[in-house]
Amino acid sequence: APSLRNFSKLAMGKGGMVTDETEEREVTAGDQADINAFSRLNVNLHDLQDDLKEKKDILVNLQDASNEVMMILDDTQPVKMAVGEAYADVSQEEATERIDAMVEETEEAVALLESQVKGVQEKMRELKGRLSLKFGSNINLEEDD
């Protein structure tokens, strides 16, 4: 059996074999399917994380808007709310209700995205464990930052 020092010398050889001087490991179709699945999950994870950041930014903006509406001293003063690309005057009560509904909807979306991120990360850990078990440090499943 090769020592741990020999693993650093591994390279992809002919016919899809991971080789060093002392041991060959064939990259099977199942291994390649796992590598491809890991790659797809990694792309999916980044998309989910981008969506999650976007939703969290929206949530912060909505909470700021809610605070601004609450700070208006005159309860009879209408609030300008964006409706598409136009602004409409609405009562403070209606503005608060709409903002609260949007906050609730966005919080639900954040919770769903966080759940999806955890699910993808768990699948990636499983695949990484299986691939690392077979290929050790010869397979790089870490991201370059």
Side-chain angles (χ1 to χ4, degrees), residues 2-16:
S3 70
L4 290 176
R5 278 178 257 144
N6 289 339
F7 284 123
S8 64
K9 298 178 185 176
L10 292 177
M12 187 63 82
K14 293 181 180 177

Side-chain angles (χ1 to χ4, degrees), residues 61-108:
N61 290 339
L62 287 170
Q63 290 164 340
D64 289 346
S66 179
N67 291 338
E68 288 293 323
V69 170
M70 283 191 248
M71 290 174 39
I72 297 174
L73 297 176
D74 182 1
D75 290 345
T76 61
Q77 181 180 352
V79 176
K80 295 214 180 278
M81 258 191 111
V83 180
E85 295 197 16
Y87 288 90
D89 287 338
V90 297
S91 69
Q92 287 183 24
E93 184 179 327
E94 183 178 351
T96 300
E97 288 172 6
R98 286 185 182 192
I99 292 170
D100 289 347
M102 288 188 281
V103 165
E104 186 177 325
E105 179 181 313
T106 305
E107 286 174 339
E108 289 172 4

Side-chain angles (χ1 to χ4, degrees), residues 29-130:
D31 296 335
Q32 190 61 52
D34 285 348
I35 293 167
N36 292 345
F38 186 90
S39 178
R40 283 189 303 275
L41 287 169
N42 191 42
V43 169
N44 188 18
L45 177 64
H46 284 280
D47 289 344
L48 288 170
Q49 289 172 331
D50 290 345
D51 292 347
L52 184 58
K53 182 186 180 321
E54 183 181 316
K55 291 292 185 191
K56 285 182 175 182
D57 289 345
I58 290 170
L59 193 56
V60 167
N61 290 339
L62 287 170
Q63 290 164 340
D64 289 346
S66 179
N67 291 338
E68 288 293 323
V69 170
M70 283 191 248
M71 290 174 39
I72 297 174
L73 297 176
D74 182 1
D75 290 345
T76 61
Q77 181 180 352
V79 176
K80 295 214 180 278
M81 258 191 111
V83 180
E85 295 197 16
Y87 288 90
D89 287 338
V90 297
S91 69
Q92 287 183 24
E93 184 179 327
E94 183 178 351
T96 300
E97 288 172 6
R98 286 185 182 192
I99 292 170
D100 289 347
M102 288 188 281
V103 165
E104 186 177 325
E105 179 181 313
T106 305
E107 286 174 339
E108 289 172 4
V110 165
L112 177 62
L113 286 168
E114 286 174 340
S115 172
Q116 290 173 336
V117 164
K118 286 179 184 176
V120 168
Q121 288 173 329
E122 183 57 37
K123 289 176 189 172
M124 288 175 73
R125 270 191 293 279
E126 178 186 326
L127 286 170
K128 183 177 180 178
R130 190 164 50 225

Side-chain angles (χ1 to χ4, degrees), residues 14-26:
K14 293 181 180 177
M17 303 289 277
V18 176
T19 63
D20 71 14
E21 295 89 27
T22 59
E23 184 176 349
E24 289 188 1
R25 290 190 197 103
E26 183 176 347

